[in-house]
Amino acid sequence: MTTPARNRTEPDARVPDSASEQDLRELFGQSTAVFVSLAGPQHLVDTANPAFFAAIGKDPAHTGIPLAELVPELIEHGVLAVLDQVYRTGEPHTSHAVPVLLGARAHKVRSSFDFSYEPLRDDEGSVIGIRLIGVETTQLEHAHRLMAEQRALVEQIARQAPLAEVLDGMARAIEDLAPEQVLVSVLLADPDGRHLRHGAAPSLPDFYNEAIDGIATGEGVGSCGTAAHRREPVIVTDIGTDPFWDDFRALAGRAQLAACWSTPILARDSTLLGTFAMYHRSPRSPQDSDLALARVFADTAGLAIERHHIEQAKAAAEAQAEAAREELATALRTEHQLRTEAEQRAEAAAELSARMHSAAASLAAVPRPEHCELGGSAGCSEPAEIKVADSWGDAAWGCPDHVEHALLNVSSVFIANEDLGGLAAYRNR
Ligand SMILES: [Zn+2]
């Protein structure tokens, strides 16, 4: 069944507030010290605190037994050799970040301990035993590495690395560093917040990513669709039985996914940016530190996605400005062209007018009909001033208006200026 995880009411989770401080505290965990007094050269377990028995997964009744017999794993981790040395020399010893595999065969957990060994002496000063104190640093180390990873990601975001690169790097970092096997998926919300697109999921199979790409957000649409719809984390501890996964159970089965915890990624103004999901190969419930990790990285992903949106908007605005610049340039070019053409036409008209004036002047003495002959069937009552001809040998006298009209509209028409002499001048040369 789903456990509705704590509802985040803070609108801006990225502002350092008490909630995110709490997240970091949970991420860094509470270290538990184990403590055991060992007696004699055999290192017989004398007294020990409950945390010791909890760590080795044994009943607190186990006293008077050699430590190596009670926890044989410690031999291969070198703890026994150090115990022998401390017992022999009487010198205290400290070792940091000792990797230890503890627990029953099927449930072995890799842990990390800082150990301190102190010799216990009798009244005469002879060593009679050793007090062994171990502080588990596993969670602390993971948290430190995760925080270093997170810092690197934020730096990458600040450097404006491509979004896919940042999200992919984030997913891989969490997968590498998480204490248990986890598969990370980031889905990106469409601008309308109604669908989720593939963002990053380097360890999920392609067929799974392709099937999930474009799913709708909504109640009961897997962990991510529901988390996006509710705007709050959705923890599905067992995909095999959870009704939210009815439509995707077979798909998840093919991808060997058994649990999915999804956290919505929200912008500073609370709009949906996507989802951050952690998948597991077997049914699992999250610890507080898991939820804290999800929140910290969902916020980091939010930062990356928001930055990406800002970059996209900037690029779109630049493209728009460029298009406007081009449009303006075209308009200016066209205007210039039209003005040039108008100027050329005006020049041509002025030139024509001048030519007609000079033709009229030079023809002043030439006999002519009384009226313009170019008025067509309607006739023209204006006095004939200029003689025109065409290349077919026709000639006529017209008024300036009709002559100009004929010159402009009939390409073979020209002013019949007898001073020029025509072809005859060439024949008689
Ligand atoms: Zn006329």
Side-chain angles (χ1 to χ4, degrees), residues 52-310:
F52 170 79
F53 290 108
I56 64 171
K58 295 271 162 68
D59 191 81
H62 289 81
T63 51
I65 301 172
L67 183 66
E69 202 175 297
L70 191 62
V71 197
E73 296 94 327
L74 292 179
I75 300 171
E76 51 192 288
H77 296 306
V79 174
L80 199 68
V82 180
L83 286 171
D84 286 341
Q85 179 202 311
V86 171
Y87 195 89
R88 198 173 60 246
T89 62
E91 294 289 327
H93 186 89
T94 309
S95 40
H96 291 289
V98 181
V100 179
L101 264 176
L102 289 175
R105 202 163 291 276
H107 300 99
K108 281 205 186 303
V109 178
R110 180 174 294 282
S111 309
S112 175
F113 281 88
D114 282 357
F115 284 122
S116 76
Y117 306 76
E118 284 173 44
L120 301 170
R121 297 171 191 275
D122 64 11
D123 294 343
E124 271 119 54
S126 307
V127 177
I128 53 162
I130 296 171
R131 182 187 291 121
L132 177 63
I133 298 168
V135 177
E136 197 188 338
T137 55
T138 319
Q139 221 181 354
L140 201 64
E141 278 165 35
H142 280 131
H144 268 130
R145 286 158 68 196
L146 278 169
M147 293 320 286
E149 253 333 305
Q150 201 239 1
R151 199 164 45 240
L153 285 168
V154 172
E155 279 164 9
Q156 220 183 354
I157 294 164
R159 275 205 317 275
Q160 302 184 5
L163 180 63
E165 201 177 290
V166 173
L167 296 181
D168 214 68
M170 182 181 94
R172 286 178 199 279
I174 296 168
E175 289 171 354
D176 287 350
L177 294 178
E180 312 246 344
Q181 195 192 7
V182 56
L183 301 95
V184 170
S185 154
V186 177
L187 297 176
L188 302 174
D190 273 352
D192 64 5
R194 299 233 178 116
H195 293 88
L196 296 170
R197 306 279 165 196
H198 174 72
S203 300
L204 291 175
D206 289 343
F207 75 82
Y208 188 82
N209 289 332
E210 279 158 24
I212 290 297
D213 187 30
I215 59 159
T217 59
E219 189 69 13
V221 186
S223 304
C224 294
T226 310
H229 174 70
R230 290 185 180 176
R231 308 288 172 94
E232 61 180 49
V234 169
I235 307 301
V236 169
T237 56
D238 188 357
I239 288 173
T241 58
D242 196 292
F244 285 1
W245 281 79
D246 284 351
D247 293 341
F248 303 96
R249 190 166 292 116
L251 180 72
R254 272 179 67 206
Q256 295 170 289
L257 303 171
C260 179
W261 316 333
S262 185
T263 304
I265 302 171
L266 301 175
R268 272 166 289 192
D269 65 359
S270 291
T271 53
L272 180 75
L273 297 174
T275 57
F276 170 85
M278 296 198 281
Y279 287 90
H280 297 274
R281 295 284 192 206
S282 50
R284 240 193 102 196
S285 301
Q287 316 261 307
D288 277 352
S289 61
D290 293 320
L291 297 175
L293 181 140
R295 279 191 295 269
V296 167
F297 279 91
D299 284 348
T300 309
L303 208 62
I305 298 165
E306 264 194 295
R307 168 55 73 102
H308 177 69
H309 285 175
I310 290 166

Side-chain angles (χ1 to χ4, degrees), residues 372 380 399 402:
C372 166
C380 175
C399 69
H402 278 122

Side-chain angles (χ1 to χ4, degrees), residues 6-17:
R6 91 182 54 178
N7 193 351
R8 187 166 60 185
T9 48
E10 287 292 327
D12 185 355
R14 231 161 287 130
V15 171
D17 53 18

Side-chain angles (χ1 to χ4, degrees), residues 371-376 379-384 397-403:
H371 295 292
C372 166
E373 297 173 317
L374 300 175
C380 175
S381 57
E382 294 293 313
W397 285 81
C399 69
D401 278 357
H402 278 122
V403 165

Side-chain angles (χ1 to χ4, degrees), residues 357-403:
H357 266 106
S358 84
S362 70
L363 292 170
V366 177
R368 72 198 63 191
E370 193 183 343
H371 295 292
C372 166
E373 297 173 317
L374 300 175
S377 52
C380 175
S381 57
E382 294 293 313
E385 286 184 36
I386 303 160
K387 190 179 183 186
V388 287
D390 67 16
S391 47
W392 304 104
D394 284 340
W397 285 81
C399 69
D401 278 357
H402 278 122
V403 165

Side-chain angles (χ1 to χ4, degrees), residues 320-337:
Q320 216 167 17
E322 177 60 28
R325 270 196 297 277
E326 261 170 43
E327 211 169 308
L328 181 63
T330 306
L332 286 175
R333 258 197 314 274
T334 308
E335 200 249 330
H336 176 75
Q337 222 164 13

Side-chain angles (χ1 to χ4, degrees), residues 25-45:
R25 256 199 301 281
E26 277 164 7
L27 203 49
F28 277 80
Q30 306 284 337
S31 294
T32 336
V34 299
F35 153 90
V36 57
S37 282
L38 304 167
Q42 299 295 311
H43 317 303
L44 304 177
V45 174

